[in-house]
Amino acid sequence: MFHRSKDILNQPEWSNVRALYKSNGFTDEELEKPIIAVVNSFNTICPGHYNLNNLTQYVREGIRAAGGTPVEFGTIAACDGMAMGHKGMRHILPTRELIANDIEMMMEAHRLDGMVLLGSCDKIVPGMLMAAARLDLPAVFVNGGPTLPGRMKENNPYGGEHIDHSIIQQSLGSLNTNTMSWDQYMWLEDNACPTIGSCAMLGTANTMCCLAEAMGMSLPGSAVIPAVYSHRMAVAFQSGKAIMTLINKGIKARQIITREALINAIKVNSAIGGSTNAVLHTLAIAYEGEIDLTLEDFGSISREVPHLSPMIPGGPYALLDFYEAGGIPAIMKQLETVLDLDTMTVTGHKLQENIKHAKVLNKDVIRDLSNPVTTSSGIAILKGNLAPEGAVTKPSAIPKDALKFTGPAVVFESEKEALEEIAANKVKAGNVLVIRNEGPKGGPGMPEMYKAMKMLVGMNLGSKVCVITDGRFSGSNNGCFVGHICPEAAVEGPIAYVKNGDVISVDVEGGSIEVLSEDFEDRLKEKIQLPKNKSKGYLHVYSNIVTSASRGAVIPTREES
């Protein structure tokens, strides 16, 4: 049995530590058992985390029922949806490393034996999985579950009957062009998010919860149970018991988070049409687990699996539909011929055992490999003279007529500058909008160009304009877009040399992104004036030490070998 807390709880040498525990009401009997951390990212700001205090109670009960002693501590959890489109978005990606660091510090300072991690949203989930991989202790991840979707059958832009809060920003473009009334817009505000929970569509939050299950770090079938369903509480209790199984069997996180498990997760991401942010986060988890995985690997692995589940924004279905169709076990059952079924999971069993009885209950929501939504992968990696280290896009969210796009560049030095032009209806069909200085260093913080893309879609320009950036996009974005262009402008990447009028070609299926102007290669040899980094506080520290998005935008935590 894995029990490192004994190192600081043995009598008489460590009676001072025992006395501190006893001042909290712990007994001698409890201190003889494994001490398990319940890592709670609850707050009353982020709706995906609003129910976590309730779930931690069930986790603690599960730990106690299985012979452990639970202790609890908290960590931050910012809401991407609330941070969109303003300077707050620069602070979102950097929280991922803060979360991983917080967990490491608490676990190591107190020599805790294992941990159950509770989170739901975009950067919190990968931050927790990074901590698990870094610490290599027994760990189980539990998410709070997606919200139930809003319902809107008439004029639904996704083609189904469900909507999510992301429709509101998209509809702002419609409101600005007078194709939607004020009353219609206000109805969306009041009805798009009927319950607590992470987003109802397949944004980054739900993508990462699905991938946590796919890589074996969550109980089978748990990723997409709606936040308000009673089964969510039962899973929390069972997860508390599961951590004790891992403790008793001596199974640590790196026995679960392996290269093979991450490859499984990448294939699932492609099949469900997951967020482009999954690229950053999977590379970051691999880094913390000291696993050899590259951006090129992500692209080549993704190409092996077509898009099978048309969820918003890449189709009409919400996470509720996906849950009712069988969820992650069902789609992994569809993919079992291309998955490594010998990977270990938090159940203490191999993946093959976990999905043995899984069934697809709705073949419109989860399709067969022989009947994909598209033959394109969910994620594509592009390269070319504009992105020699790579760039990321999402074929499943791009209209077919925009998978190849060539047009003159209109260059913006920031997201703010681009939003002003879009709001003023100055953007023309056929243009390639270049938004630069928004990478991990240049942003700093690599903000999402969510609002710009949503407004263009609402203005019926989603497939008529292509947006490219060294920043990111939201998992909810659709239209023609390419992000994560590397190297970024702040380190004199080629995107810094693009001029208005340069002809840019984006070929998603061909995997290329090129500036076609004849003088571009000569231009790259010139020295240019870069914007001065005026960031302060943690963003100043972050911008000076963060790595390229092509490496996961991680802060190095060890010396490179």
Side-chain angles (χ1 to χ4, degrees), residues 445-499:
M446 203 179 183
E448 294 179 347
M449 305 300 106
Y450 164 88
K451 190 172 183 177
M453 201 68 239
K454 283 292 179 186
M455 290 179 68
L456 288 167
V457 170
M459 296 163 71
N460 198 31
L461 289 171
S463 63
K464 300 172 184 175
V465 169
C466 187
V467 179
I468 67 173
T469 180
D470 52 7
R472 299 182 293 126
F473 288 95
S474 165
S476 71
N477 277 129
N478 57 324
C480 185
F481 61 90
V482 181
H484 307 211
I485 289 176
C486 294
E488 62 175 292
V491 295
E492 297 186 71
I495 191 172
Y497 293 82
V498 176
K499 295 179 179 179

Side-chain angles (χ1 to χ4, degrees), residues 30-101:
E30 289 174 298
L31 297 181
E32 290 302 309
K33 300 174 180 178
I35 311 296
I36 308 299
V38 179
V39 185
N40 185 4
S41 53
F42 162 81
N43 63 56
T44 60
I45 299 173
C46 182
H49 290 237
Y50 201 96
N51 65 335
L52 296 186
N53 262 0
N54 183 40
L55 295 183
T56 57
Q57 295 177 34
Y58 287 89
V59 171
R60 291 197 304 268
E61 289 176 15
I63 292 169
R64 289 189 185 280
T69 295
V71 294
E72 185 173 332
F73 65 84
T75 187
I76 60 173
C79 179
D80 282 54
M82 294 186 187
M84 289 292 183
H86 56 86
K87 65 180 183 180
M89 177 46 70
R90 302 186 188 283
H91 297 261
I92 291 294
L93 181 60
T95 67
R96 187 186 69 180
E97 269 63 24
L98 289 176
I99 291 164
N101 293 342

Side-chain angles (χ1 to χ4, degrees), residues 318-370:
L319 265 289
L320 176 63
D321 300 302
F322 185 62
Y323 167 69
E324 292 175 346
I328 292 299
I331 203 155
M332 293 188 87
K333 188 70 173 176
Q334 297 290 73
L335 297 174
E336 65 180 341
T337 58
V338 298
L339 298 178
D340 187 328
L341 302 179
D342 198 42
T343 53
M344 180 55 68
T345 74
V346 293
T347 63
H349 300 296
K350 302 291 182 69
L351 174 61
Q352 184 174 26
E353 181 70 20
N354 289 353
I355 66 171
K356 183 166 60 176
H357 302 296
K359 293 181 180 178
V360 175
L361 303 176
N362 185 330
K363 289 198 172 184
D364 291 326
V365 179
I366 299 176
R367 299 194 183 186
D368 298 322
L369 279 168
S370 60

Side-chain angles (χ1 to χ4, degrees), residues 221-475:
S222 66
V224 293
I225 301 167
V228 294
Y229 279 21
S230 58
H231 192 42
R232 178 57 61 191
M233 294 177 282
V235 160
F237 179 82
Q238 292 297 333
S239 296
K241 293 183 69 176
I243 188 65
M244 295 309 300
T245 297
L246 299 182
I247 292 282
N248 293 331
K249 291 187 173 184
I251 298 173
K252 301 179 185 180
R254 291 194 189 183
Q255 291 168 260
I256 297 171
I257 303 174
T258 62
R259 177 177 168 81
E260 292 75 20
L262 293 182
I263 289 172
N264 283 348
I266 292 169
K267 290 178 178 180
V268 168
N269 185 70
S270 191
I272 62 177
S275 168
T276 51
N277 287 316
V279 180
L280 278 180
H281 300 325
T282 305
L283 293 176
I285 294 164
Y287 171 79
E288 294 293 357
E290 301 184 50
I291 297 165
D292 182 18
L293 188 73
T294 66
L295 184 68
E296 290 76 13
D297 291 335
F298 202 109
S300 61
I301 294 162
S302 294
R303 284 195 296 272
E304 296 176 26
V305 178
H307 183 207
L308 300 181
S309 189
M311 285 184 276
I312 299 171
Y317 298 111
L319 265 289
L320 176 63
D321 300 302
F322 185 62
Y323 167 69
E324 292 175 346
I328 292 299
I331 203 155
M332 293 188 87
K333 188 70 173 176
Q334 297 290 73
L335 297 174
E336 65 180 341
T337 58
V338 298
L339 298 178
D340 187 328
L341 302 179
D342 198 42
T343 53
M344 180 55 68
T345 74
V346 293
T347 63
H349 300 296
K350 302 291 182 69
L351 174 61
Q352 184 174 26
E353 181 70 20
N354 289 353
I355 66 171
K356 183 166 60 176
H357 302 296
K359 293 181 180 178
V360 175
L361 303 176
N362 185 330
K363 289 198 172 184
D364 291 326
V365 179
I366 299 176
R367 299 194 183 186
D368 298 322
L369 279 168
S370 60
N371 181 36
V373 181
T374 68
T375 55
S376 301
S377 61
I379 293 290
I381 306 301
L382 312 185
K383 281 196 167 186
N385 64 2
L386 186 56
E389 289 182 10
V392 180
T393 189
K394 184 176 177 178
S396 61
I398 299 177
K400 288 183 179 180
D401 59 350
L403 289 170
K404 287 188 177 181
F405 198 104
T406 301
V410 179
V411 180
F412 301 102
E413 301 298 338
S414 68
E415 177 193 22
K416 182 175 182 290
E417 193 177 298
L419 288 173
E420 289 170 355
E421 291 289 300
I422 294 168
N425 292 318
K426 293 182 178 179
V427 173
K428 306 297 182 185
N431 287 342
V432 177
L433 307 190
V434 180
I435 306 176
R436 64 191 177 198
N437 305 308
E438 299 291 8
K441 289 182 177 292
M446 203 179 183
E448 294 179 347
M449 305 300 106
Y450 164 88
K451 190 172 183 177
M453 201 68 239
K454 283 292 179 186
M455 290 179 68
L456 288 167
V457 170
M459 296 163 71
N460 198 31
L461 289 171
S463 63
K464 300 172 184 175
V465 169
C466 187
V467 179
I468 67 173
T469 180
D470 52 7
R472 299 182 293 126
F473 288 95
S474 165

